Amino acid sequence: MTAQPTPDPSGTGTAIETVFRIESPRIIAGVTRIVRDVGIAEELAQDALVAALEQWPRDGVPGNPGAWLMATARNRAVDLVRRRENYARKLAEIGRSLPDEAAPQEPAVLRDPDGIDDDLLRLVFTACHPVLSTEARTALTLRLLGGLTTAEIARAVLVPEPTVAQRIVRAKRTLATRNIAFEVPYGPDREARLGSVLDVIYLIFNEGYAATAGDDWLRPSLCEDALRLARVLSSLMPKEPEVHGLTALLEFQASRTSARTGPSGEPVLLKDQNRARWNRMLLARGVAALGRAEAASSGAPGPYLLQAAIAACHAHAHTYEETDWPRIAVLYGLLAARSPSPVVELNRAVAVSMAEGPSEALPLVEALTDDPALRDYHLLPSVRADLLSRLGRTAEARAEFERAASLTRNERERELLLRRAAEHS
């Protein structure tokens, strides 16, 4: 029978769960090195959590709770490996037992912090392996590296909880059955895989920064999880300019969070934001991360470094009118050449409209109207509506704002677009 946790009137359980959420990525990473299966590693980490919930309220919280959890999980991992080895010996398959180099160290002795960081980096690349779908990578990353529960992930990505659970189970099964190595790739594979890792973190942040659906415009906790992952990755890969570029971009974007909604949670556009509410500490962190990205870059800047440079232009402007729009337009041009996409072209058109006027930008937007990728993208008619409004074409602007409102799945954004349409009646 499974032991039940001791009653905890002191509230130790809450502290345990907080510690576990912070430490779980490192614990799972360290255990995966031993068992070579992220699904089993997560189960062993959860076993360590249950042990803490049983013992700590009774015996007191250890001096180093993270190390206690790691040691407990590794003890169980070593026991599991030894049981496997014994079973293999009983079947006279000694030759197929674990190779010497894969044998775990004595569980009471923790690996040095650098080794744990190496394991954590391997876990990042494993959770974001291209063999998994984007949806699976996102769910698995939030689970293993963000420490989110299945219910929390379901709320974050706005799909039913059973769907998220299935994605996570299938992702773990795919990694196990495809024998995906628990490693950091090198050479060409590393560049390709790193792009996948960064894209997943950015996707998570964007869903929190401007929710695609639901009743809330922002999901700050999702932004915080993505930013934490980016910071961890920056510390693990200090020589990768794109890692620092993504971190800088997220720092800059996150600095505006408190100014992006009004008293009732309604969206506040960039031009209307109170810049005194921008978080100065995050802005400073963004500047520092951008500096590290530029220092590490030896060739043409990558897409995240370019986007961070664009975000820096907004960060350095004291008012919306003082924004260096010509430079932003140039940076978007470089980004379009580096990573062509219709969304980048749409953003470039916005910058051109501010630098050169709406009449110069409208043809750029019109050229995108037949792009299949933007057929249901609400920001295309929204941008077109804004340009038409600035050109005095009121009726056309109203129709485009209404069309944009019909395409968005976010209630707050729909309200904003309908309000802007009404202003053109």
Side-chain angles (χ1 to χ4, degrees), residues 398-417:
R398 181 177 65 252
E400 286 294 275
F401 277 128
E402 290 173 347
R403 180 167 176 267
S406 72
L407 291 175
T408 183
R409 293 183 293 140
N410 184 280
E411 289 302 320
R412 292 294 191 175
E413 195 166 27
R414 180 179 291 112
E415 293 170 1
L416 170 65
L417 290 166

Side-chain angles (χ1 to χ4, degrees), residues 44-63:
L44 293 171
Q46 290 288 338
D47 286 347
L49 172 62
V50 171
L53 288 169
E54 292 172 348
Q55 297 180 38
W56 292 7
R58 181 189 65 225
D59 302 334
V61 178

